């Protein structure tokens, strides 16, 4: 496990949360959703390649077993929250849409070029629709990127880059969000970039840099950690100048890739930033990222209902603190007493099945 990236997961899920919490009509973070989603898509490709790539190379990777394992981790929570949203919609007389509900159940909502379908009910779960598509592509993408020659890879990357920029330029304004932000085939480029980072990470050049960092090359470590901080800050500053069709995805490809790569390189260093990211409490928060991601929209909706009914009349700072504490506490509780319990039952059944066959 690369602990620095585990910590960054918490940072980026907070950006997503802040982008969905509006105060007086303005989200607390204008950059959060796009930045966070790009990070998690690219990170998924990188982490999956590091952890499962060798199995793909050896032909022992079981796609069905892997997908089932991932579904067990988040699908029960997805269905539970969807049911709560349906109940709330009926309560608030917002009506119900069977097609939208079914698309959510089967995690196909991001394939419809309509944001009213993409973001229906628990709006963030379009992410799950995309990520499941990426998982299905993973063995093929891994072999195509990791096992191809340099010239072949360079040609492939060039063609994909041209294709992406063509799509960005040709997409009608009305479809910018649905095609460039949520549509699985387009967003799979993020996932593929994560695999590409893995290839560079495993190169002789990178391993030599890691060796220097691990041998306490202070100047190199400081330079890399300062670069990581500079990437985050610069991305925030420059985002405001980006047109939507660039800012929804393309703008983040390079900075997020660089941040993930640098974090992986310095993970075993003794740098100040690395020690901060390795803090036990920060690591614990990183383990509940999926739960925070899945439930934060529901908590925000409940918070707004309470505020509109004048049960909460506090200011912005107090509201943010209450929202964060409530979301983190709820995520931790759900993970410990719901998600982990279900996953434990699944693992025990797998072990039992293996012992009796």
């Amino acid at each position: 496990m690369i602990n620095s990236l585990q910590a960054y997961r918490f940072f980026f899920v907070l950006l997503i949360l802040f982008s969905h919490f509006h105060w007086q009509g303005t989200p607390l973070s204008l950059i959060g959703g796009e930045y966070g989603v790009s990070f998690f898509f690219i990170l998924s490709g990188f982490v999956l390649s590091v952890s499962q790539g060798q199995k793909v190379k050896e032909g022992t990777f079981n796609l069905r077993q892997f997908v089932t394992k991932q579904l067990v981790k988040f699908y029960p929570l997805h269905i539970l929250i969807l049911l709560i949203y349906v109940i709330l919609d009926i309560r608030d007389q917002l009506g119900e849409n069977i097609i939208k509900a079914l698309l959510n159940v089967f995690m196909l909502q991001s394939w419809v070029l309509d944001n009213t379908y993409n973001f229906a009910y628990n709006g963030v779960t379009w992410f799950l629709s995309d990520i499941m598509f990426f998982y299905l592509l993973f063995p093929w993408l891994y072999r195509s990127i990791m096992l191809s020659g340099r010239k072949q890879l360079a040609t492939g990357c060039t063609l994909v880059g041209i294709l992406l920029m063509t799509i960005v330029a040709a997409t009608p304004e009305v479809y910018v969000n649905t095609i460039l932000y949520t549509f699985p085939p387009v967003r799979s480029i993020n996932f593929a970039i994560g695999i590409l980072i893995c290839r560079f990470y495993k190169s002789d050049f990178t391993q030599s840099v890691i060796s220097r960092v691990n041998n306490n090359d202070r100047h190199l470590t400081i330079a890399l950690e300062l670069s990581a901080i500079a990437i985050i800050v610069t991305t925030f500053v420059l985002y405001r100048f980006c047109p939507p069709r660039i800012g929804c995805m393309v703008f983040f490809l390079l900075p997020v890739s660089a941040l993930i790569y640098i974090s992986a390189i310095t993970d075993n260093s003794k740098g100040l930033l690395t020690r901060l990211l390795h803090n036990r409490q920060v690591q614990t928060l990183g383990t509940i990222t999926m739960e925070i991601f899945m439930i934060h929209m529901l908590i925000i909706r409940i918070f707004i209902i309470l505020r509109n009914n004048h049960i909460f009349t506090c200011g912005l700072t107090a509201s943010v603190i209450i929202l964060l504490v409530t979301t983190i506490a709820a995520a931790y509780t759900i993970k410990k007493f719901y998600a982990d319990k279900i996953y434990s039952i699944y693992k025990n059944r797998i072990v039992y099945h293996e012992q009796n066959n």
Side-chain angles (χ1 to χ4, degrees):
M1 178 186 292
I2 300 176
N3 292 321
S4 297
L5 294 175
Q6 179 82 325
Y8 275 123
R9 283 166 57 89
F10 178 68
F11 170 76
F12 280 100
V13 83
L14 285 188
L15 288 184
I16 293 174
L17 184 154
F18 290 144
S19 73
H20 293 143
F21 184 68
H22 291 232
W23 188 264
Q24 296 180 351
T26 303
L28 295 188
S29 172
L30 296 175
I31 189 177
E34 291 88 345
Y35 204 175
V37 167
S38 294
F39 172 81
F40 283 111
F41 279 157
I42 296 175
L43 180 67
S44 296
F46 176 73
V47 171
L48 190 53
S49 297
V50 171
S51 62
Q52 302 294 325
Q54 189 61 31
K55 291 182 180 180
V56 175
K57 188 176 180 179
E58 294 171 353
T60 58
F61 179 73
N62 189 320
L63 180 61
R64 180 180 177 182
Q65 188 178 82
F66 173 78
V67 169
T68 301
K69 180 179 177 181
Q70 300 308 309
L71 281 172
V72 170
K73 289 181 178 180
F74 63 75
Y75 193 73
L77 180 57
H78 166 55
I79 294 300
L80 175 62
I81 295 176
L82 176 60
L83 289 174
I84 295 173
Y85 262 90
V86 171
I87 293 171
L88 287 176
D89 279 2
I90 294 174
R91 171 194 175 276
D92 296 337
Q93 298 181 338
L94 297 178
E96 52 184 311
N97 187 304
I98 298 300
I99 295 178
K100 290 180 181 179
L102 287 175
L103 287 171
N104 267 265
V105 168
F106 294 104
M107 295 183 296
L108 296 172
Q109 63 269 44
S110 63
W111 289 91
V112 181
L113 299 182
D114 185 337
N115 280 161
T116 62
Y117 285 82
N118 303 152
F119 304 138
Y121 300 107
N122 188 16
V124 297
T125 54
W126 69 268
F127 178 93
L128 303 180
S129 180
D130 283 38
I131 206 72
M132 290 308 299
F133 175 66
F134 302 163
Y135 289 159
L136 296 176
L137 287 180
F138 172 65
W140 174 77
L141 280 175
Y142 184 87
R143 284 189 289 265
S144 299
I145 294 172
M146 298 293 290
L147 305 181
S148 60
R150 292 184 180 180
K151 290 184 178 180
Q152 184 181 6
L153 180 64
T155 301
C157 289
T158 301
L159 292 175
V160 170
I162 293 172
L163 176 62
L164 174 60
M165 296 314 298
T166 301
I167 294 173
V168 169
T171 298
E173 196 68 31
V174 68
Y175 289 116
V176 164
N177 208 43
T178 53
I179 293 179
L180 302 181
Y181 186 59
T182 63
F183 195 50
V186 175
R187 292 313 298 251
S188 65
I189 293 174
N190 296 64
F191 185 76
I193 288 174
I195 301 174
L196 188 62
I197 296 171
C198 179
R199 174 165 174 156
F200 194 41
Y201 174 71
K202 291 186 174 183
S203 68
D204 292 338
F205 168 78
T206 301
Q207 294 308 308
S208 67
V209 174
I210 292 176
S211 179
R212 288 178 58 189
V213 170
N214 292 348
N215 287 325
N216 203 24
D217 186 330
R218 291 187 59 201
H219 292 92
L220 178 59
T221 300
I222 291 172
L224 288 170
E225 291 193 336
L226 287 176
S227 297
I229 296 172
I231 288 169
I232 295 174
V233 173
T234 303
T235 304
F236 271 91
V237 172
L238 296 181
Y239 174 78
R240 69 183 67 183
F241 303 108
C242 267
R245 66 178 61 243
I246 299 296
C248 64
M249 178 186 69
V250 176
F251 174 71
F252 296 101
L253 297 182
L254 182 58
V256 167
S257 299
L259 180 63
I260 290 173
Y261 177 70
I262 291 171
S263 301
I265 288 176
T266 58
D267 190 57
N268 291 320
S269 73
K270 297 179 181 179
L272 178 61
L273 177 60
T274 302
R275 292 202 302 271
L276 176 63
L277 295 173
H278 284 210
N279 177 272
R280 187 174 65 179
Q281 285 72 32
V282 176
Q283 287 293 305
T284 300
L285 291 171
T287 64
I288 60 173
T289 300
M290 174 57 77
E291 287 71 24
I292 292 174
F293 179 78
M294 293 288 289
I295 69 169
H296 77 272
M297 290 284 285
L298 177 60
I299 291 177
I300 289 173
R301 178 168 177 175
I302 295 172
F303 185 90
I304 292 172
I305 292 173
L306 295 176
R307 191 173 64 188
N308 290 342
N309 286 282
H310 305 292
I311 297 175
F312 281 145
T313 57
C314 47
L316 174 59
T317 302
S319 296
V320 171
I321 293 173
I322 292 171
L323 177 64
L324 284 178
V325 171
T326 303
T327 303
I328 292 172
Y332 180 81
T333 302
I334 288 171
K335 178 174 175 58
K336 184 174 182 179
F337 297 105
Y338 184 70
D340 284 355
K341 294 293 184 184
I342 293 175
Y343 186 62
S344 178
I345 293 172
Y346 165 75
K347 286 200 302 183
N348 290 336
R349 287 186 176 181
I350 292 296
V351 172
Y352 177 81
H353 177 76
E354 290 177 348
Q355 289 177 345
N356 290 274
N357 283 280

